[in-house]
Amino acid sequence: MKARGNFASKLGIILATAGSAVGLGNVWRFPFMAGHNGGAAFIVLYFGCILLLGIPGMVSEFIIGRHSQSNAARAYYEISGGQRRWRLVGYLGILTSTIILGFYAVVAGWCLQYLFASLMGHLSGDADYVLHYFQSFSSHPWKPVLWAVAFILITHLVIVRGVQNGIERASKLLMPLLLVLLVLIVIASCSLPGAMAGVEFLLKPDFSKVSGGVLLEALGQAFFSLSLGTACLCTYASYFSRDTNLLKSAGQIAFLDTFIAILSGLMIFPAAFSVGVEPDAGPSLIFITLPNVFQQAFGHLPLLGYVIGILFYALLVFAALTSTISMHEISTAFFAEELNLQRKKAAWIETLVCILLAIGCSLSVGAVDSLTLFGQSLMDFCDMLTAQIMLPLGAFLTSLFIGWVVDQRLVHDELTNQGTVAEGLFRAYQFSVRYIVPLCILLIFLHQFGVL
Ligand code: TRP
């Protein structure tokens, strides 16, 4: 097999993995999911899912990827000692990440448009204007489609330039910058009049709103945000070095990812309550809330508001890009290595499929109302299907696989780096992937489908 792309530094690949995790899932999806499900109570369940199911799930994918050093499908096959049926979990991951990339690109395209609009100063006006701006833009017959396609093509470009030049270099600088900016905007948002109601919404749980559906949404959001359940982490871990501490890396990335999600909540809800946007506004939530923050919170310093708005959308676009790259890479690595194609050609296959999907998704929430499946727009359907069914299924199968199928000595050696780290945690990890993770996912599924 030809040499695989590699990352220049240990820090680079860990940052790239964090870059995959941190994206629109944190800044866009987390707030609207929390808003839709009652705020604080959802967040408590979300924390539970990250700790109990997310971290062990990440470690499992890391083990499979690093041990086999190959693409998603082959990794499962090889580490199972050559059982062909386990390739299917890899295929499931490739399919899931392709669907996610399809609708994710639509939202990333909205961000690109907002970057452009804030540069041009088109987003200034009162709360009604901002709401109307989003509605008329997102239902425009071709504009949002073009932005989505543009976003996929940008992803494609980075992917064909190779892992090292593309993904790694970009991740190092801009991620820390995003964090700093988020903190700044949180402060601005919390200083708006009436903002404290939003903070309360995030911090005071009302468990009467919690049902089985909320639990599944929290689980889906946790997996989505950690990039878990599609062999994405497995693909990235195939570039990890032998002495990376898998458990520690998973913990650090999960912590950072959750921290950014909470910051995003603290950025959106105080402002939403202040300007009168309903917390359950759905996917449009950040787009109809944020422009108000940039104008109102910086009312006395309009230039600062203008610059911060532009910087914010630019960094959001970048965060989305490091995530779309990771989704794209799963399929590109697979097609290149399994079909023996040049990386460039392999990347085109994924790019074209995603472009078609993105066009459908974008039209379904705008110009073409009739693009529905099971009573939902194609876009909402893809989101629901992946986050609430395919990701949990992928994580469930991976957990059973690592707990019961893979040689446990191998699992031990990978987790502990041949007995040098985390030795005491092996039993706990093993118990968790054998019993806790599969059982919890199963129970949540059964509950959702009315069996329990
Ligand atoms: N985690 C990313 C986010 O929060 C999205 C993402 C990237 C993803 N790769 C993935 C989600 C693989 C599921 C599977 O924006």
Side-chain angles (χ1 to χ4, degrees), residues 36-330:
H36 175 67
N37 290 305
F42 173 87
I43 295 176
V44 172
L45 297 177
Y46 177 80
F47 283 161
C49 290
I50 295 272
L51 276 178
L52 209 61
L53 313 176
I55 294 179
M58 291 175 83
V59 172
S60 304
E61 284 197 26
F62 285 171
I63 290 177
I64 297 169
R66 185 175 68 177
H67 185 79
S68 45
Q69 309 236 327
S70 56
N71 67 73
R74 185 178 299 197
Y76 280 83
Y77 168 71
E78 280 183 359
I79 204 175
S80 70
Q83 301 180 40
R84 296 194 73 79
R85 60 169 172 267
W86 288 104
R87 292 180 76 94
L88 289 176
V89 184
Y91 294 146
L92 174 71
I94 290 162
L95 180 68
T96 312
S97 58
T98 302
I99 301 177
I100 296 182
L101 183 49
F103 73 82
Y104 199 92
V106 175
V107 185
W110 294 347
C111 298
L112 265 183
Q113 153 76 22
Y114 268 59
L115 172 58
F116 177 71
S118 51
L119 265 171
M120 307 300 287
H122 288 167
L123 291 174
S124 41
D126 58 11
D128 269 350
Y129 169 83
V130 169
L131 176 66
H132 182 75
Y133 183 90
F134 180 81
Q135 286 166 343
S136 67
F137 158 70
S138 65
S139 58
H140 192 279
W142 49 263
K143 263 195 201 162
V145 175
L146 277 192
W147 287 114
V149 172
F151 202 91
I152 296 177
L153 291 176
I154 298 172
T155 307
H156 178 92
L157 259 179
V158 183
I159 285 282
V160 295
R161 285 189 63 205
V163 173
Q164 187 174 326
N165 286 333
I167 307 176
E168 181 178 352
R169 219 186 271 164
S171 298
K172 275 188 184 157
L173 174 69
L174 298 173
M175 288 258 299
L177 208 59
L178 175 68
L179 199 68
V180 174
L181 203 69
L182 273 176
V183 172
L184 211 80
I185 302 174
V186 167
I187 297 171
S189 173
C190 289
S191 70
L192 290 171
M196 282 310 125
V199 177
E200 211 166 90
F201 178 75
L202 276 183
L203 300 182
K204 270 201 189 149
D206 171 5
F207 284 100
S208 64
K209 296 238 173 66
V210 173
S211 64
V214 178
L215 200 52
L216 186 59
E217 295 204 333
L219 176 79
Q221 173 59 26
F223 287 2
F224 188 93
S225 194
L226 295 176
S227 307
L228 190 66
T230 67
C232 173
L233 297 174
C234 173
T235 305
Y236 268 25
S238 70
Y239 306 105
F240 281 9
S241 85
R242 286 270 146 238
D243 51 1
T244 301
N245 182 336
L246 300 183
L247 195 62
K248 194 167 135 206
S249 306
Q252 285 170 338
I253 293 169
F255 176 80
L256 177 75
D257 189 71
T258 308
F259 184 62
I260 293 192
I262 297 296
L263 278 184
S264 303
L266 281 172
M267 167 176 85
I268 300 296
F269 290 108
F273 276 77
S274 171
V275 296
V277 169
E278 288 296 320
D280 62 353
S284 62
L285 181 66
I286 73 164
F287 296 96
I288 58 180
T289 304
L290 275 178
N292 293 304
V293 182
F294 300 135
Q295 290 177 72
Q296 297 189 14
F298 299 97
H300 46 293
L301 294 165
L303 186 63
L304 188 64
Y306 173 78
V307 172
I308 287 188
I310 293 170
L311 256 182
F312 175 78
Y313 291 115
L315 291 174
L316 189 55
V317 162
F318 176 76
L321 186 63
T322 55
S323 298
T324 52
I325 290 166
S326 75
M327 295 176 220
H328 202 299
E329 175 65 21
I330 306 175

Side-chain angles (χ1 to χ4, degrees), residues 323-395:
S323 298
T324 52
I325 290 166
S326 75
M327 295 176 220
H328 202 299
E329 175 65 21
I330 306 175
S331 311
T332 303
F334 171 72
F335 291 133
E337 291 175 9
E338 298 303 299
L339 305 181
N340 245 325
L341 295 175
Q342 278 177 341
R343 233 183 115 78
K344 222 178 182 170
K345 284 203 183 124
W348 269 118
I349 303 180
E350 174 73 357
T351 298
L352 291 177
V353 174
C354 289
I355 285 182
L356 287 180
L357 251 169
I359 294 176
C361 286
S362 180
L363 291 175
S364 78
V365 285
V368 187
D369 291 343
S370 56
L371 265 174
T372 55
L373 268 178
F374 300 99
Q376 286 174 306
S377 67
L378 182 62
M379 170 116 165
D380 290 345
F381 177 76
C382 288
D383 179 301
M384 189 279 292
L385 175 71
T386 49
Q388 294 185 36
I389 298 178
M390 296 173 86
L391 295 182
L393 183 65

